[in-house]
Amino acid sequence: MAARSPRRGRGLVIFVVAIMLTLFFYVSEFLGMTRQISARNNGTVDPPVPRTMLQGTMVLQIAGELGNHIAYLAYYFAVRTIASTEFNLNLTLHVRKQNHRKSISAARNVQCLKSFRYLNFDECDWDQTDDDNNNNETKMLGELCMMKISNQSEALLDLERSSNNQTISTLSSSLSMSKHETSNDIRSSLRDYVAMLQDDSILQMYRTMNVGWNSDEPHPFLYNLEGNMISDALIDEFYSRGLPQYLAFDDDTKNSSGCCAMLPTEDEQVFHYRSFVTDLPRKIMWWGGAELKPQQSAEMLSSALPPETRIALVAGRANRDRIVSYANAFRNHSFRVREIAGQSAIQDFCFLAHARAGLWGTVQSSYARWASLIGGELLKNATIYGVNYPGRIKNVTSIVSTNEDLAGRIHYPVFDVTDSDVW
């Protein structure tokens, strides 16, 4: 019998493979159609193909000291998160800082937090000038930024008049992001904002009249003039959605940049004495900034911690005699005390934010409050206390969190004491 040709054998194999691939294609198509029909019948649909994200802009007003800056930027985190997850909207952040020396130093310090390391806080600076090309004048950058906001409002008003479209007024009113206490408030503004970003007549006007924030962002922009700090309700909602990580220090540069110096040990309880009396000696009592004295503070610690617990005492610019009084009172209650001294304000805040075993401080201190939140799941326990006393005009109430993780980690007890128990 004659031998089979190798060439004919290879041809047969190729033919069989082709038949099998064709059958596989038709079976796959049939099964795919079956799954789609089944999904429709069961009220489900296949995951949508990812869409190109809308691009938007937000101009955030910040003011005050570091704690206030963080509160404004935490509010932006809530806005940004809702925008990206619910509206397929990617926001670019710009900031307008207050024309005040405290705000200038706070802006520099907030860049120690990783999310803001490269954020340009000088874009709307009040010490730098640039040319106003429309009027051939030189103006402060802060003034020029304010003009951009005014120009946007005027251009939208002109478009409404020329087009006789009353909807524009309703939509544009949502651009000023103010008085947002809940996520639904934010959603309402973002819903109108997205409608503007999808309106061709509005986008054409922005390109023609050059009223976007800059040439790279030629579209409507969100802004706020009064500043919006994050509310307790928004903290509860976004604490477990990445807020602590968003506000965390930059581990790569925190030491080399001078943002941090000493850090607490893993088993150290950190106690913060804010010493408001140093800054507000005349109104500390009636305003509510008085804090528990050393003996009362030691008793508070003793009610929760065993003897020999390590305590790191952070007292910043407090009077030396008061620092010694706290240290002695803690030692008299059998605690092992380490005094943290000689650091800058941002280094003290970094120390507080890196507490792991526990953190203690007054609820009036934005440093203590934000440090407890930044600690996230790495912080086992925080006690941020309030005190009511006869000399206080308005009493403080305990904060009750609706976030289970937050409520189990950070506690806000309130003590009713006499005027002699605080200073």
Side-chain angles (χ1 to χ4, degrees), residues 6 10 12 17 34 50 67 71 77 84 110 169 171 195 236 246 268 291 294 300 307 317 345 357 371-372 374 412 421:
R10 284 197 299 271
L12 179 62
V17 170
T34 303
F77 174 77
S84 62
V110 85
S169 176
L171 295 177
D236 283 352
Y246 182 69
E268 229 171 5
E291 300 168 68
M300 175 178 66
R317 298 186 297 112
S372 68
I374 290 174
Y412 300 93
D421 291 325

Side-chain angles (χ1 to χ4, degrees), residues 7 14 234 373:
R7 182 175 298 175
I14 294 172
L234 288 174
L373 291 165

Side-chain angles (χ1 to χ4, degrees), residues 74-75 77-79 81-83 85-87 180-187 230-245 373 400-407:
Y75 160 73
F77 174 77
V79 175
T81 301
I82 294 174
T85 59
E86 299 182 26
F87 293 90
H180 289 160
E181 295 291 330
T182 69
S183 55
N184 282 335
D185 295 335
I186 295 174
R187 289 185 185 94
I230 191 169
S231 65
D232 288 338
L234 288 174
I235 289 176
D236 283 352
E237 182 172 351
F238 289 92
Y239 177 80
S240 300
R241 298 182 67 180
L243 181 60
Q245 294 77 16
L373 291 165
V400 180
S401 176
T402 59
N403 183 303
E404 290 186 6
D405 184 25
L406 189 58

Side-chain angles (χ1 to χ4, degrees), residues 391-409:
R392 182 171 187 158
I393 290 180
K394 184 178 180 181
N395 282 348
V396 65
T397 57
S398 178
I399 298 174
V400 180
S401 176
T402 59
N403 183 303
E404 290 186 6
D405 184 25
L406 189 58
R409 195 179 307 276

